[in-house]
Amino acid sequence: MPVSINEKVMHGEPVVAGTRVPVKVVLGSLAAGMSFEEVMEEYDITYQDILDCLDYAARTVAEEEVHLLRA
């Protein structure tokens, strides 16, 4: 998978493999309205890198447990 986690790169944050671009920066840029093309140009990553970040986020959220509190 092209998202890597290495304690020696960006303090162990998930990054696009082979770069120092954190997944959260890619996702945040998209959420802020940047296009895929703008993100690719800004961070020198590929279309597939962006898809890999989205896949990583989707799998992370899918594994998250939510505990509802009732009033």
Side-chain angles (χ1 to χ4, degrees), residues 42-60:
E42 180 73 22
Y43 301 109
D44 194 28
I45 61 175
T46 67
Y47 183 83
Q48 186 60 51
D49 292 333
I50 295 172
L51 293 180
D52 292 335
C53 289
L54 291 169
D55 179 62
Y56 177 83
R59 287 186 298 105
T60 299

Side-chain angles (χ1 to χ4, degrees), residues 2-40:
V3 168
S4 67
I5 299 172
N6 181 332
E7 65 185 30
K8 296 179 182 180
V9 178
M10 297 298 291
H11 308 286
E13 288 188 39
V15 297
V16 175
T19 76
R20 297 179 62 80
V21 179
V23 170
K24 68 181 182 183
V25 169
V26 174
L27 299 174
S29 297
L30 293 171
M34 289 177 72
S35 68
F36 275 38
E37 291 77 15
E38 290 169 326
V39 173
M40 292 182 328

